[in-house]
Amino acid sequence: MKAVTWQGKRDVRVETVPDPKIQEPTDAIISVTSTGLCGSDLHLYEVLTPFMTPGDILGHEPMGIVEEVGSEVTNLKPGDRVVVPFQIACGHCFMCDQGLQTQCETTQVTGEGMGAALFGYTRLYGQVPGGQAELLRVPQAQYGPIKVPEGPPDDRFVYLSDVLPTAWQAVQYAHIPPGGTVAVLGLGPIGDMACRVAQVQGASRVFGVDLVPERLRRARERGVETFDLSEFDDEKDLVAAIHDQTGGRGPDSVIDAVGTEAHGSSAARFAQTAAGLLPRSVGAKLAERLNVDRLAAFYTAIDMVRRGGTISLSGVYGGMADPLPMLTMFDKQIRLRMGQANVRNWIDEILPLLTDDDPLGVETFATHRVPLDEAPQAYQRFQKKEDGTVKVLMQP
C-alpha cells in the first residue's frame, strides 16, 4: 500500500509499504477514504524529530470502510463505514470508565511514562502506524471506531477523529458561563472549530486572535470578533484591546489553541532546534528532560483572562522545564484545564449537530483536498501557511 512516511525534519514521503494485517483478535483493518493533516502533525515535521524513526507512518485523522475484523470484534463487519479516533482506547478499563480515554490503562505507553497510544505519533505514544495511508490496522476495534451512516460525504464525519472532539473538549474545559465571553488564541483548525462550538453552546461573544489573513477571514465570516496579532506592537496591547471589549476585566474564558508553535521565545526555539540536530538517541533524552516550550500564547492567556476565569489548553505543549508565572496565576485565581481530547467521551453530544443543517460548517471546513501522493507538498504549504491552507484532507 501507499503511505505517508516520516524520513527526517521537514521530510515526508509517500512510499510503498507492506499492507497491515490482523495481529490481535481485537484488531480491524480499514480501507481509508479520507484522512486529515493536523497541526499536531507539524510537531513531528518540525519539533519532535528526536522521537521519530525514519519510515514511521504518519496521520491520526482517518475514516474509511472496514475490510476485515478480528475474532473478538463483534460490533463491526466488513463494509461498515467508520471514523477512527486518534487515540487507541479499550473502553473497559478504569480510565475509560471515567471518560478519560487518552489515559486508557490498556494502551498506556508505560515504558515512556505516557498516556494512551496514538496513531502515527512518535515512540512516546507507541509508534503505532498512522492513518495517512491506503489501509490502517485499528487496535481495540471492539471500542474505538465510530460507525457513521452511508450517504453524506466524508467531510460530514471525518472530523470526529480529532478536530470536533478536541474543539468540543476545549470549550467544555473552558467553563464558559451562560452568556459569557471567550477568547480563542489561534484560529487554525482547532481554534476555528472551537469558536464555532462556543457559539453553538451559547457564548455571547467570541473573540478570535491570529495573524494569518485567511484564518481571520474565515472566523470573521462566522461572527467571531477577530483581532489580527500583527496589528499590535506586542501582546500587552492585544490584551488591552480585548479587555476594553469586556468592561476592563477580560473574557470569562480563554482557549489556547496554539501550543508550542507560538511565536515566542528565541531561546526555546533554539533548544528545540538543537535537540532536533543531535543524534536521535541523544536529542530525545535532551528533549525529554530539558525541553522548553515557546509559551507566548499561554502567557497571553494568563494576562488576558479575567480574575477567577478559566484557561483551557488544547494546543500541544511538550516541554519539561517550562517557567510559569505562578504568582500571577495564583493571585488571579485562574482555573486551568488541559489535555488530549477524550474522543469517545464527547461523540454522543456532537453527532446530533452533524445534520443537513450543518451548524458547525463541517462540509465546507476543509480548504484543500488532495490525493495522498501530494502529501509532501501539503505538509510544506500547511507548515508555511501558504495558499490559504487551513485544513487539508487527503484521499488515498
Side-chain angles (χ1 to χ4, degrees):
M1 70 170 183
K2 290 182 179 179
V4 180
T5 64
W6 184 93
Q7 298 297 334
K9 184 175 182 179
R10 300 180 193 164
D11 182 4
V12 302
R13 305 174 196 174
V14 179
E15 297 190 321
T16 299
V17 301
D19 290 357
K21 299 183 182 300
I22 297 288
Q23 298 178 20
E24 302 289 341
T26 51
D27 287 350
I29 304 294
I30 73 163
S31 176
V32 178
T33 56
S34 290
T35 185
L37 174 53
C38 178
S40 296
D41 292 324
L42 295 184
H43 294 102
L44 312 181
Y45 192 66
E46 181 82 23
V47 177
L48 296 178
T49 57
F51 304 106
M52 300 295 289
T53 302
D56 284 349
I57 298 175
L58 301 173
H60 56 269
E61 297 186 349
M63 69 174 292
I65 305 299
V66 175
E67 296 289 331
E68 184 181 1
V69 298
S71 60
E72 294 182 14
V73 179
T74 58
N75 57 315
L76 299 175
K77 64 183 185 303
D80 283 346
R81 189 185 191 197
V82 296
V83 180
V84 180
F86 70 89
Q87 83 261 162
I88 302 169
C90 71
H92 56 72
C93 69
F94 173 83
M95 288 296 178
C96 286
D97 286 344
Q98 303 302 306
L100 296 170
Q101 289 87 353
T102 56
Q103 312 303 324
C104 174
E105 292 176 325
T106 300
T107 73
Q108 273 181 19
V109 187
T110 53
E112 300 290 347
M114 305 299 281
L118 309 180
F119 287 102
Y121 216 79
T122 86
R123 68 168 175 78
L124 294 178
Y125 287 100
Q127 214 160 25
V128 181
Q132 291 172 6
E134 293 180 315
L135 296 168
L136 176 68
R137 171 182 165 255
V138 182
Q140 302 298 324
Q142 82 289 346
Y143 176 68
I146 303 156
K147 285 200 285 190
V148 296
E150 297 294 335
D154 280 7
D155 293 49
R156 178 82 62 88
F157 303 114
V158 68
Y159 304 115
L160 289 169
S161 60
D162 184 351
V163 174
L164 277 168
T166 297
W168 194 272
Q169 179 171 295
V171 173
Q172 291 293 317
Y173 280 10
H175 293 286
I176 306 166
T181 57
V182 59
V184 179
L185 308 183
L187 297 174
I190 302 301
D192 185 338
M193 187 59 74
C195 289
R196 303 179 187 204
V197 170
Q199 290 171 323
V200 166
Q201 292 191 7
S204 63
R205 299 177 74 181
V206 179
F207 308 104
V209 179
D210 207 292
L211 41 68
V212 180
E214 174 66 15
R215 294 179 176 185
L216 291 161
R217 181 192 62 77
R218 279 164 57 96
R220 191 163 50 247
E221 288 177 351
R222 295 189 66 91
V224 176
E225 300 176 53
T226 58
F227 292 78
D228 186 343
L229 185 58
S230 66
E231 295 180 356
F232 297 90
D233 290 334
D234 56 34
E235 282 80 5
K236 291 189 181 301
D237 290 341
L238 167 69
V239 168
I242 293 182
H243 278 197
D244 286 346
Q245 296 295 315
T246 54
R249 296 188 188 93
D252 298 303
S253 307
V254 176
I255 296 171
D256 173 0
V258 179
T260 193
E261 291 301 316
H263 296 265
S265 164
S266 58
R269 185 180 295 112
F270 173 79
Q272 292 170 352
T273 302
L277 293 175
L278 292 169
R280 282 194 303 278
S281 60
V282 178
K285 292 179 181 177
L286 175 66
E288 282 182 292
R289 297 179 183 179
L290 301 176
N291 197 24
V292 180
D293 288 301
R294 305 197 310 253
L295 290 167
F298 188 25
Y299 289 153
T300 299
I302 292 168
D303 289 341
M304 184 179 293
V305 71
R306 69 163 170 82
R307 291 178 177 274
T310 303
I311 296 173
S312 170
L313 299 185
S314 64
V316 175
Y317 286 101
M320 293 290 285
D322 291 333
L324 295 177
M326 294 301 297
L327 175 62
T328 301
M329 296 169 69
F330 182 84
D331 180 65
K332 291 183 72 172
Q333 291 187 242
I334 291 172
R335 178 164 47 180
L336 180 63
R337 293 283 321 255
M338 68 184 83
Q340 302 274 14
N342 302 295
V343 174
R344 271 293 193 172
N345 194 48
W346 308 114
I347 294 302
D348 290 345
E349 296 179 36
I350 298 170
L351 275 173
L353 296 173
L354 303 183
T355 63
D356 289 339
D357 292 337
D358 195 13
L360 295 174
V362 292
E363 289 198 8
T364 57
F365 192 68
T367 56
H368 293 70
R369 295 171 179 81
V370 301
L372 195 69
D373 287 336
E374 294 182 15
Q377 299 93 318
Y379 268 84
Q380 185 177 51
R381 287 194 300 267
F382 190 33
Q383 198 260 347
K384 294 183 177 181
K385 301 178 177 65
E386 294 176 340
D387 191 30
T389 303
V390 178
K391 186 61 184 177
V392 179
L393 290 181
M394 292 181 276
Q395 278 81 37

